[in-house]
Each structure stands twice: as C-alpha cells, then as structure tokens.
Amino acid sequence: MQSNRTLMVLPGDGVGPEVIKETLRVVDWFAKNKSISFNIKEGLVGGASFDKYGTPLSDETLSDAVDADAILFGAVGSPKYDGVEFEKRPENGLLRLRKEMDLFANLRPAMVFPALVDASSLKPNIISGLDILILRELTGGIYFAEPRGIEEIDTQIKKGYDTNLYTTPEIERIGRVAFDMARARNGKVTSVEKANVMMSGVLWREVITSLHKKEGSDILINHMYADNCAMQLVRDPKQFDVIVTDNLFGDILSDCAAMLTGSLGMLPSASLGSVDQNTGKRHAMYEPVHGSAPDIAGKELANPLAELLSLSMLFRYSFEMKEEADLIDEAVSRALDAGPRTQDIMASGRVKVGTKGMMDSVINKLEELTK
Ligand code: NAD
C-alpha cells in the first residue's frame, strides 16, 4: 500500500548521509514486510547544497520541505566551510528551515535502554525503564524578547538585562503540543515554570490550566516549579511522562534529561510547528541531537541509532504509527541487549561493528519480532 504521505529526506553532511542511508533500510523494511510506504523526496542541505547551488538551502528544497508531511534530517556542517561567509555556512540551512517553518516546539525524549543502564551516571534502579519527553518552547521567551541589552549606568557600572516574555497564544500552542504528545504516550503532562517568583510563570500556569480545562480533560496534569523539576529529574525521573516548559528552563532541563541516558549517538529529537488551519498538517522535522561528526565521517564508525530513533519519533508523532514506532524501539532495545555495538557504546564482551553492522543487527531483531 503506497501511502499518500510525503517524507522529505535531507541527509546533509559528514555522517548525516551515512546514518540516513542505514535508516532508510528500515523504511524499506516496512515497505517490504508491512506494506507501508511513503512518497520519499530527497534534497540537499548544508555543505552538500552549498557545493551544488552556492547556498545551504535552495528555495526549491525549502518549498519541498514545507510541502512534505514530515522531514527526516541528518546533520550539517564541516570545517571545510569555516572560511565561507556566515549566511552561507551549512548550519544556516538548518536554521532557515526552522525559521521558515516556525518550528516552535522542540521535543527531546530521554529513554534508557536496559542494556545501556550502566552508561548513565545515575543508579540503575532510578533510570532503568526510563521513557520521558521534554517539550521545550523554542522560538519565544528570554532568548528573543525585548527589551534586552547591555547599557552603561555610569562610567563605572553597566547593566545587562533580558526579558522573559510569553503571550497567551505562544503558551497555548506549546500546551496543545504537550497534550497531543501525551495522548500518543502515557497521558500525563507536567507543566514547569516559576510561578512563585516570575510574572511570565504566573501567566504560563494560568494559560495552561485554562487550556487543560478547555482542551485537555483526557490528560492528567500537574504543575511544578523549575528548580523542583531539576531536582526531581535526578531524584525520580520516572514520575514524568511529558514535561512542557519555556525556552530557558527547557534548555537546561532537556540537557539534564539527555544525560540521564548516556551516549550522543543514541539521542533523537524533533522540532514541530503549528497545525495549519486549512490543511490540518503540522510542519515537523526529526533529527539526531548529534552533528556531522567530521572526525569519524567516511569511516563507517557512526552509530545510526539516533537517526533511527528520530524515524521512530516521526512515525509516532507525525504519521500516527504508534505500533510501528514501538516496534522500532523494541528492536533497538533487543539489538542492544545482546548484539554487536558501534564504538561509541562499546562494552566488554561485545563485538564491535560499524554503521551498517549496527543496523543489520536492528533489522534482524525486526525480523525476529514479526516472525
Ligand atoms: P558532533 O555531534 O558532530 O560530534 C561530537 C562528538 O560525538 C564527536 O567526537 C563525534 O565523533 C561523536 N559523534 C557524533 N555523532 C556520533 C554518532 N552518530 N556515532 C558515534 N559518535 C558520534 O559535534 P561537533 O563535533 O561539535 O560538530 C561537528 C559539526 O557538526 C560542526 O560543523 C557543527 O556545527 C555541526 N553540528 C550540526 C548539528 C546539526 O546538524 N543538527 C548539530 C550539532 C553540530
């Protein structure tokens, strides 16, 4: 069955094309074994696009990305472009995609696979079985709001200041994403701010509370101060399902949650826009947290699992394919349990494999699970 959904694939630079190539084998596996396929469009981004078109993102590729139902992104960047003018650097291709599609919601799951429990700095009983999602507002708040600046008070003293500002619609739209995410997971949202000391936090809590009454009565909600949340994340992270928070607190809490889980080669992410009122579609881009890893590019050393787990998120959150996403996650988990591993997650007694070998192992587990 050919689905009418379009999947835009942007491999980019460095290890990006290597991990995308392996991840597309799993897309092929679903086509062959589950008769689920998509219209796949591939495009150039980053240095690869600069080499061909003289820009890190051509208007044509941007237009294809805007039209697609979801984007699977690899990584961009290379020291080769260090001398290139700022706007034409590979990273600007990614920034332009985020800006043009207004991808305001950043999702970072923190999921601990049983076989990697020892890679965390926390005790196994605290993090084993962990599966939480941090949802960070990405385009508003203290990193963007005015007034901000550094000014002289007098010849001796300067002042530096920022403004944490959120409007009702900005809070509502991230709140809606949180409820949608919770519906695809375990139905619980923790909204995080500092309503005890910040006016933007008072408004945040008011708006989320009223949105929950209007649109989220099927969701279990609680509210937590950001400092307490930081403490709870390392004390008892399994109490959470979805955490929704602003740009500043999300920046800090998502890094904290990511480190609960271990390696960079294992971390997926997603950036989402709002639902288009006319088409009902939501812009969404899925990518590993890691970059183009120039130090290992071309050496068959990259771990492809962060990219594959990004595909699993894409299935779960953009294509409503929860069962298939669960299947990928379980296959990854089983592959890690006993199989070979790439160098970044290598452990004693395991066979070391490259990018392809790691994906072979996951595909074997997909076969086993669906026999
Ligand atoms: P990086 O994430 O590319 O690499 C950091 C370290 O992690 C390196 O030692 C690398 O070998 C290792 N690593 C990364 N991905 C891995 C994988 N899949 N498997 C095994 N090991 C992996 O970060 P960096 O070195 O700071 O940046 C390199 C380039 O990537 C820069 O040009 C930077 O701008 C770009 N970058 C792009 C993105 C993106 O495209 N979203 C994100 C971060 C950095």
Side-chain angles (χ1 to χ4, degrees), residues 57-355:
L57 182 72
S58 69
D59 291 342
E60 197 185 25
T61 306
L62 174 63
S63 152
D64 285 345
V66 168
D67 289 345
D69 293 292
I71 301 163
L72 186 66
F73 190 94
V76 289
S78 161
K80 182 178 152 193
Y81 305 98
D82 282 354
V84 169
E85 64 181 286
F86 189 75
E87 282 70 32
K88 304 229 160 140
R89 295 247 180 102
E91 290 78 0
N92 270 295
L94 177 58
L95 297 182
R96 187 166 171 220
L97 276 166
R98 285 183 182 154
K99 187 159 169 264
E100 297 278 343
M101 291 192 285
D102 195 15
L103 302 175
F104 66 90
N106 184 236
L107 281 70
R108 286 246 215 128
M111 192 155 87
V112 173
F113 292 99
L116 295 181
V117 159
D118 293 333
S120 171
S121 49
L122 295 192
K123 289 187 191 127
N125 67 318
I126 291 179
I127 48 114
S128 72
L130 180 73
D131 179 5
I132 64 175
L133 181 73
I134 309 267
L135 178 60
R136 166 187 173 192
E137 200 291 328
L138 201 59
T139 53
I142 202 160
Y143 296 154
F144 296 98
E146 298 285 343
R148 64 207 316 256
I150 298 177
E151 285 169 19
E152 254 181 31
I153 294 178
D154 58 38
T155 51
Q156 303 295 314
I157 304 173
K158 290 181 186 173
K159 63 175 180 183
Y161 55 96
D162 301 280
T163 305
N164 201 30
L165 185 155
Y166 275 101
T167 60
T168 309
E170 280 178 307
I171 302 169
E172 280 180 344
R173 68 178 187 171
I174 193 80
R176 281 192 190 100
V177 177
F179 296 158
D180 283 352
M181 296 300 118
R183 283 184 190 107
R185 297 172 49 89
N186 297 315
K188 185 178 167 192
V189 169
T190 303
S191 172
V192 172
E193 24 59 11
K194 276 185 72 75
N196 49 344
V197 286
M198 292 170 72
M199 297 318 291
S200 53
V202 172
L203 182 72
W204 184 283
R205 189 174 289 212
E206 244 175 61
V207 173
I208 294 284
T209 303
S210 116
L211 185 74
H212 179 248
K213 279 201 189 109
K214 281 187 289 191
E215 299 178 23
S217 52
D218 54 327
I219 301 295
L220 190 65
I221 187 133
N222 70 322
H223 302 268
M224 194 177 270
Y225 298 139
D227 46 346
N228 184 27
C229 183
M231 194 262 280
Q232 296 297 336
L233 267 176
V234 288
R235 192 187 74 86
D236 177 21
K238 283 186 271 185
Q239 69 184 281
F240 299 110
D241 180 20
V242 176
I243 293 175
V244 61
T245 189
D246 75 7
N247 205 341
L248 172 66
F249 296 138
D251 191 2
I252 298 162
L253 296 174
S254 68
D255 268 21
C256 176
M259 271 324 291
L260 300 173
T261 71
S263 164
L264 194 59
M266 297 291 305
L267 292 171
S269 79
S271 305
L272 310 181
S274 359
V275 175
D276 184 305
Q277 294 306 320
N278 299 319
T279 62
K281 282 199 323 195
R282 160 178 279 147
H283 292 311
M285 185 156 76
Y286 298 83
E287 56 178 313
V289 170
H290 67 74
S292 58
D295 53 334
I296 56 166
K299 297 181 181 161
E300 243 291 288
L301 289 175
N303 183 345
L305 297 184
E307 189 73 64
L308 177 61
L309 294 169
S310 302
L311 177 73
S312 156
M313 288 183 80
L314 185 153
F315 280 3
R316 191 179 303 279
Y317 299 119
S318 280
F319 288 178
E320 292 105 37
M321 289 167 52
K322 183 176 183 304
E323 214 176 287
E324 290 76 9
D326 286 345
L327 185 62
I328 293 179
D329 295 350
E330 183 58 24
V332 169
S333 181
R334 292 200 184 187
L336 292 170
D337 272 348
R341 292 187 181 183
T342 43
Q343 43 119 39
D344 58 310
I345 48 170
M346 196 53 193
S348 67
R350 296 303 180 93
V351 174
K352 191 148 106 184
V353 282
T355 314

